[in-house]
Amino acid sequence: MGQVMNPKTEGNTFTKRIGQTTYVVRFHYNENARETMQEKINRMLVNEAMRAGISENKVDN
């Protein structure tokens, strides 16, 4: 597979091999974003946990 990558997006690319398949992942982001990627992931996790009925203070015995 001799695919030529765009040098402008090459820095925003990584590869991940799962089994016999190699994935090329290209990512982009808005430089004017109001939150960092970490903040966004945390917000999404909290929202998903709330939808699933999971609380921070809930402890399973």
Side-chain angles (χ1 to χ4, degrees):
M1 181 196 295
Q3 206 170 20
V4 177
M5 296 185 63
N6 181 346
K8 192 170 185 177
T9 62
E10 193 171 334
N12 296 340
T13 304
F14 66 92
T15 59
K16 176 71 175 177
R17 186 173 182 94
I18 301 175
Q20 297 297 314
T21 305
T22 301
Y23 297 91
V24 177
V25 180
R26 291 187 186 100
F27 60 93
H28 59 90
Y29 55 91
N30 181 351
E31 292 185 17
N32 299 319
R34 294 175 291 174
E35 62 185 348
T36 66
M37 183 56 72
Q38 185 65 50
E39 291 167 336
K40 182 173 187 163
I41 292 169
N42 287 344
R43 177 176 51 79
M44 291 169 60
L45 288 170
V46 167
N47 289 342
E48 186 65 25
M50 288 173 55
R51 281 189 27 210
I54 300 170
S55 166
E56 283 184 44
N57 300 324
K58 186 177 180 180
V59 177
D60 293 331
N61 290 330

